[in-house]
Amino acid sequence: METYIAHQDEVKRIQLLRDHIRGVESIAAGEGEKLGISQTMRLIALFHDMGKYSDDFQKYIRQTSDEEVHSKVNHTSAGAEILMNLYQKSWGNDKLQPVIEMLCYVITAHHGPYDMVSIDDEDKFTRRLNEVEAQEARMVFERWSRDLRINISDMAELMQEACKEYNTAFVQKFRDISDEKEYRFYQGCFVRLLLSMQIDADWTDTANAMEPELMEELPETASVIKEAWSHYCEYMETLQYKSAGKPMSKKEVQIDQLRTQIQQESLSFTKHPSGIYCLAIPTGAGKTLTSLGYALKYAQERIGTKESVERIFYISPYISITEQNAQVMKEAVGNADWVMEHHSNVVNSDDNARNAETSWEETFICTTMVQFLNTLFSDKKKSIRRFHRLKHAVIILDEVQALPVKTIHTFNLMMNFLSRICGSTLILCTATQPMLDAPDIRRKIEYSAPRDMIVNLDRKFAAFERVQIDTALLDMKITAEALAEQIQKTFLEVHSILVICNRKDSVANLYDKLSEQCENTNIFYLTTNLCAEHRCEVLAQIKGLLGKAAQKTLIISTNLIEAGVDLSVECVYRSLAGIDSIAQAAGRCNRNGELDRGTVRVFELEGDEPGHHMDELLAARQKTKEILYRHKVAQASESILFPEWMQQYYEIFYGELKSKMDFTLTGRLQGETIFGLLSEGFSETRAAHSMRQAFQTAGAAYEVIADTGFTVIVPYGEGMGLIGKLEQSTEKENIRYYLKKLQRYTVAVYSYKVEQLLKKGAIRECCTVPDVYIAFGYDEKKGLTDIMPEAIF
């Protein structure tokens, strides 16, 4: 029998084609089993590399590096073309058409998604299914069926099973959807799920055969969950024991008791089935450990059942929160190796890294909302590969109010998909819970019943009320000089102040002014210009000083300090923003009830208007002023930060921006939306396919942040030595190792800023990793700046 090769490396190590296809089949079918689509995945896997049986491909893989030969090799179309030709005669069956289209799309797209129909109305799907000549297709099919010992009746049985699975796993679960566009959107999500499992199975099997030395064997999930839950319980007992030994005021005792009560309510909520729930608890109530405890107990109770949990995710809006949550999670579960922390551009810079760094195989994943949304929508293969990791998971979405308005409709529908189809539980976790089913939101999230994990929210918020909101400074815009004067006066009454501005340059300007004017005061600067390691050290210094009456402490920061940072000051100054941001800032004031009342002063600083998401943030400021006015007119006794007023804020805020929620696009895609592209494709599309989605265009256009920028590695602390080791490394595994170690010594920089820093000679390109830069200098106070390195040193 002739031998056919799937892969061959530079040292002539090979993987036989039949071994690869069978290997992918086994992995893909296993991933699809709990979702009830194992036979569907088996069928896709068997057909995905059928084109590699062609003479052209075998010639290319065995010996040639001829680019002309390589460009003619197309191994992704043959299997889909043959599958379509076998079953197109049954086209009159409306139930069969979408199944075949989905199968054929996934087969042809397993090396990258494409649009079913282009913006110019070119039928790309049909073209993909007509790229292999009939005679060659017959030859490929004969070789494939002989090599794998598969006959027509085997395929007919698999196709029959795939149709049944599609009906059970998808159609029946969305039979109540009357909006055709939403139905098609969910259909596109299902395609992404199939494609994700196929890409992952393909890459995993290839790596097992060709790069076994890079593959890491992970422990069994069930044993990890059991051990992590046991350690969590011990960890919480230790925290309670330490807390019990501290002298506390009456207010502190009350807050401590309420935290324990909230944790117990959360743990008892695990009796409810998978769904979409809200964990709305006041700032300072310990939501990170509370939500993690729920997830661990939920997972531990379902070990060995059909609802068993495969992973626990903690999604945060900012890198700074992700870093802190990851550290808390590592300590709580008792083993740092079980936790994957994924946020740095450094990790993603190696396009050939197909393994542990980006595949989300670990039991616990801490990542950012941007990475999460990329996994849901991006056209990048690494992002698509991760998508199926979200099935049978507990997904904690921390500070979900930070979700950009433009993403709301696609986010809501995708959460519904993860709940309905993937059997995952989603916890929307924040003190400022957004109304994602508000009247002006057309495509609503499907909250489960009961929606709230914690009862009697108003009473709990009242018990946690620790601050008074002072809006006297909002009468007119204030200059940086006048604000600096106000802060100095406040220091006559208190010992610790936190100032939060909207812009980095506002923080830097105010820091410079107050550094010159404030005597005998510890002044700290906090923005994302500081690398993670530096920020952690600064926060540790701050916590060490707070509470010491002899030490005056001033912190000047961007909003990175508003969530996930456990510190408590006597007074907060917050530049005007949305009420949700003001509430988060208030969570850093009198956090543990050390005082009878702390003070949060809201001001409007000249030149501190928001930069990115301008329309959204300006609307947030305007609606905050409206709610503050309503609150004043009503002479309300309760705080403006209570759920009742937060709900009113979100109603008018979402009402103002309701036209932007489909993710409107600009430029060449003017008039299109992400929702539209992922449901019915381009608005002018006329092709008669069951599926018309523009998957690739939507994925490429889905940018949560318009300019994600680049990674700059900074010579701070241990980072200096690691930079040298990284640039001296030649082995791929060593480069990956040092990149991972360097995550905490990186700063994300916008593209335009990178160009400025390059021109000034403040940074240079990394010689071993593309699109990563090295800073020559680093300021010990303000981090990465555009100051010339000579001045820094």
Side-chain angles (χ1 to χ4, degrees):
M1 180 183 290
E2 190 172 352
T3 300
Y4 302 99
I5 297 174
H7 303 105
Q8 179 172 265
D9 62 17
E10 60 274 6
V11 296
K12 302 297 183 182
R13 179 166 50 182
I14 68 168
Q15 182 185 29
L16 294 179
L17 184 49
R18 63 172 174 269
D19 292 342
H20 174 60
I21 290 176
R22 288 299 188 187
V24 175
E25 175 195 13
S26 176
I27 296 169
E31 287 291 342
E33 187 172 0
K34 275 175 67 178
L35 294 174
I37 53 173
S38 61
Q39 300 310 300
T40 303
M41 292 311 305
R42 192 180 300 280
L43 187 61
I44 291 168
L46 287 171
F47 277 75
H48 86 283
D49 268 358
M50 186 182 288
K52 289 187 175 181
Y53 282 97
S54 69
D55 289 336
D56 279 347
F57 183 85
Q58 289 301 310
K59 179 182 177 182
Y60 154 68
I61 198 67
R62 287 173 186 275
Q63 49 82 29
T64 187
S65 58
D66 188 331
E67 286 301 318
E68 184 179 353
V69 173
H70 190 189
S71 66
K72 291 180 180 178
V73 174
N74 169 15
H75 72 271
T76 63
S77 292
E81 187 172 329
I82 289 165
L83 187 65
M84 181 66 78
N85 289 336
L86 283 171
Y87 294 100
Q88 198 166 17
K89 60 186 177 183
S90 307
W91 215 238
N93 184 346
D94 290 339
K95 294 181 180 179
L96 185 61
Q97 182 177 353
V99 179
I100 296 178
E101 284 187 7
M102 281 194 293
L103 293 172
C104 289
Y105 181 85
V106 174
I107 291 166
T108 53
H110 78 269
H111 278 282
Y114 60 93
D115 299 339
M116 291 287 290
V117 183
S118 76
I119 192 171
D120 302 317
D121 208 27
E122 177 192 357
D123 189 341
K124 291 191 171 185
F125 181 62
T126 299
R127 181 170 63 79
R128 289 284 184 111
L129 297 179
N130 287 280
E131 292 193 358
V132 181
E133 295 180 359
Q135 184 176 350
E136 183 181 359
R138 282 194 296 271
M139 177 195 69
V140 163
F141 179 65
E142 288 171 4
R143 290 177 175 178
W144 172 84
S145 57
R146 186 170 61 247
D147 202 28
L148 294 175
R149 299 179 181 178
I150 296 175
N151 55 47
I152 293 291
S153 62
D154 294 330
M155 288 185 293
E157 186 177 338
L158 270 179
M159 176 57 77
Q160 189 176 27
E161 289 298 316
C163 289
K164 288 180 182 177
E165 288 180 344
Y166 175 66
N167 184 62
T168 303
F170 178 79
V171 175
Q172 292 302 313
K173 292 184 178 180
F174 284 108
R175 62 183 180 274
D176 62 326
I177 303 297
S178 57
D179 187 313
E180 186 178 349
K181 288 185 178 181
E182 284 192 13
Y183 186 86
R184 290 183 182 276
F185 180 91
Y186 288 128
Q187 190 181 49
C189 295
F190 194 69
V191 170
R192 188 176 184 87
L193 178 63
L194 301 180
L195 185 58
S196 173
M197 289 191 282
Q198 172 55 40
I199 290 173
D200 182 60
D202 193 7
W203 287 10
T204 300
D205 181 74
T206 301
N208 283 335
M210 306 303 292
E211 297 179 310
E213 67 279 0
L214 297 181
M215 299 301 288
E216 182 181 2
E217 188 173 344
L218 297 172
E220 182 190 19
T221 301
S223 64
V224 169
I225 292 292
K226 285 180 183 177
E227 288 186 47
W229 168 243
S230 176
H231 190 276
Y232 172 86
C233 294
E234 294 175 4
Y235 181 79
M236 296 303 291
E237 285 180 10
T238 301
L239 290 182
Q240 288 174 0
Y241 176 76
K242 289 179 178 178
S243 177
K246 292 180 179 178
M248 290 190 286
S249 67
K250 185 178 178 180
K251 183 71 172 179
E252 286 175 302
V253 170
Q254 181 188 25
I255 287 175
D256 194 56
Q257 290 172 344
L258 273 170
R259 283 176 182 150
T260 301
Q261 182 185 337
I262 287 168
Q263 288 164 6
Q264 292 305 316
E265 283 188 50
S266 176
L267 291 176
S268 68
F269 200 81
T270 58
K271 63 179 182 253
H272 294 287
S274 64
I276 303 175
Y277 301 104
C278 293
L279 181 58
I281 57 178
T283 54
K287 64 176 166 32
T288 303
L289 286 171
T290 298
S291 56
L292 176 60
Y294 163 84
L296 285 168
K297 186 169 183 277
Y298 179 94
Q300 194 268 342
E301 289 175 346
R302 286 159 177 78
I303 290 173
T305 71
K306 291 181 180 179
E307 293 79 35
S308 61
V309 172
E310 296 176 5
R311 281 169 195 86
I312 293 172
F313 289 86
Y314 209 110
I315 316 296
S316 309
Y318 310 116
I319 290 176
S320 57
I321 307 177
T322 303
E323 293 162 349
Q324 293 167 73
N325 287 343
Q327 188 58 40
V328 170
M329 186 176 283
K330 288 171 184 177
E331 292 174 3
V333 303
N335 190 327
D337 291 338
W338 294 339
V339 181
M340 171 64 191
E341 184 178 345
H342 183 201
H343 53 72
S344 174
N345 288 334
V346 172
V347 170
N348 288 325
S349 62
D350 181 5
D351 287 334
N352 295 315
R354 295 182 167 188
N355 300 316
E357 289 89 346
T358 57
S359 64
W360 288 2
E361 291 182 276
E362 287 81 358
T363 304
F364 303 99
I365 311 292
C366 276
T367 191
T368 60
M369 182 63 79
V370 169
Q371 290 289 358
F372 180 63
L373 292 174
N374 283 344
T375 298
L376 300 179
F377 298 106
S378 171
D379 63 322
K380 299 292 189 293
K381 286 183 288 182
K382 287 184 291 185
S383 295
I384 297 170
R385 179 193 186 184
R386 292 193 293 265
F387 182 70
H388 77 288
R389 304 291 190 206
L390 298 167
K391 64 183 172 63
H392 299 293
V394 178
I395 304 171
I396 301 163
L397 295 145
D398 191 12
E399 308 299 353
V400 72
Q401 79 283 348
L403 193 72
V405 167
K406 66 181 179 180
T407 68
I408 283 180
H409 282 165
T410 52
F411 174 84
N412 284 352
L413 297 181
M414 190 62 89
M415 296 307 99
N416 298 342
F417 180 84
L418 291 176
S419 176
R420 285 198 188 199
I421 299 295
C422 297
S424 292
T425 293
L426 298 108
I427 307 299
L428 278 56
C429 184
T430 178
T432 54
Q433 197 69 229
M435 297 174 58
L436 295 178
D437 60 349
D440 282 311
I441 295 180
R442 181 178 177 185
R443 311 188 194 284
K444 306 179 192 306
I445 203 166
E446 296 171 345
Y447 292 113
S448 302
R451 166 180 162 160
D452 291 305
M453 295 171 63
I454 306 300
V455 299
N456 300 321
L457 285 175
D458 285 341
R459 185 174 63 82
K460 290 184 172 68
F461 271 79
F464 267 87
E465 189 177 4
R466 294 148 294 176
V467 302
Q468 59 183 1
I469 307 297
D470 183 349
T471 59
L473 293 176
L474 278 179
D475 291 341
M476 58 184 295
K477 284 189 177 183
I478 191 170
T479 64
E481 290 76 14
L483 179 60
E485 270 186 46
Q486 284 281 341
I487 291 166
Q488 289 183 79
K489 288 179 183 177
T490 305
F491 262 128
L492 299 175
E493 303 168 1
V494 303
H495 287 86
S496 57
I497 300 174
L498 167 63
V499 185
I500 303 174
C501 300
N502 295 318
R503 301 174 64 95
K504 285 184 186 180
D505 50 1
S506 298
V507 172
N509 183 32
L510 199 57
Y511 176 83
D512 290 339
K513 288 185 185 302
L514 286 163
S515 294
E516 295 174 0
Q517 298 172 14
C518 290
E519 295 181 0
N520 303 316
T521 303
N522 300 289
I523 305 180
F524 297 93
Y525 169 99
L526 275 174
T527 76
T528 51
N529 283 352
L530 275 58
C531 68
E533 189 68 20
H534 192 179
R535 285 199 302 270
C536 283
E537 290 177 10
V538 170
L539 286 169
Q541 289 178 335
I542 292 169
K543 290 177 183 179
L545 290 169
L546 291 176
K548 295 181 179 178
Q551 297 285 343
K552 288 190 176 182
T553 305
L554 174 61
I555 310 148
I556 308 172
S557 176
T558 56
N559 66 348
L560 71 83
I561 203 169
E562 285 184 348
V565 180
D566 185 8
L567 57 79
S568 181
V569 299
E570 295 169 79
C571 179
V572 169
Y573 279 80
R574 182 47 166 109
S575 185
L576 182 64
I579 286 187
D580 54 329
S581 294
I582 295 170
Q584 294 296 339
R588 312 314 117 192
C589 185
N590 193 29
R591 187 175 179 84
N592 300 308
E594 302 93 338
L595 308 172
D596 181 49
R597 278 285 187 276
T599 303
V600 176
R601 294 192 170 101
V602 184
F603 62 93
E604 193 169 3
L605 179 65
E606 286 185 356
D608 195 43
E609 293 78 14
H612 293 280
H613 305 303
M614 178 68 78
D615 291 347
E616 187 173 325
L617 295 178
L618 288 176
R621 287 156 63 101
Q622 178 192 346
K623 299 309 171 187
T624 294
K625 286 183 175 180
E626 287 184 30
I627 294 297
L628 288 170
Y629 178 75
R630 286 189 194 181
H631 186 267
K632 183 177 180 179
V633 169
Q635 297 182 332
S637 58
E638 71 276 6
S639 170
I640 191 72
L641 307 181
F642 272 35
E644 174 192 345
W645 293 98
M646 197 65 64
Q647 182 173 330
Q648 287 191 43
Y649 165 74
Y650 280 119
E651 282 182 356
I652 63 173
F653 176 64
Y654 288 148
E656 177 78 10
L657 298 171
K658 61 184 177 182
S659 64
K660 299 179 181 294
M661 294 182 183
D662 273 355
F663 206 133
T664 302
L665 300 173
T666 58
R668 182 169 179 260
L669 297 174
Q670 185 79 35
E672 307 288 353
T673 67
I674 294 290
F675 171 76
L677 294 177
L678 291 176
S679 54
E680 293 193 316
F682 294 104
S683 52
E684 300 300 318
T685 295
R686 293 184 293 275
H689 299 306
S690 171
M691 287 169 43
R692 298 189 292 275
Q693 288 91 341
F695 292 111
Q696 194 276 328
T697 297
Y702 195 98
E703 291 184 320
V704 185
I705 301 172
D707 180 2
T708 54
F710 294 91
T711 293
V712 176
I713 304 173
V714 298
Y716 177 79
E718 188 185 351
M720 186 173 291
L722 290 171
I723 289 170
K725 292 177 180 178
L726 170 69
E727 297 204 298
Q728 290 166 14
S729 298
T730 55
E731 298 295 326
K732 188 187 295 184
E733 52 265 43
N734 289 337
I735 292 173
R736 289 183 189 170
Y737 172 79
Y738 289 119
L739 282 174
K740 201 167 185 178
K741 293 277 284 184
L742 279 162
Q743 278 190 114
R744 296 187 62 76
Y745 302 93
T746 64
V747 174
V749 178
Y750 290 121
S751 303
Y752 80 91
K753 193 69 174 178
V754 165
E755 292 178 10
Q756 291 176 3
L757 293 171
L758 283 170
K759 286 180 181 178
K760 288 190 174 185
I763 65 172
R764 61 177 174 79
E765 291 187 64
C766 176
C767 64
T768 53
V769 186
D771 296 330
V772 171
Y773 297 86
I774 309 291
F776 285 105
Y778 188 80
D779 189 278
E780 290 294 321
K781 295 288 186 182
K782 296 164 75 173
L784 180 66
T785 71
D786 57 2
I787 301 171
M788 290 294 286
E790 293 83 3
I792 291 173
F793 289 119

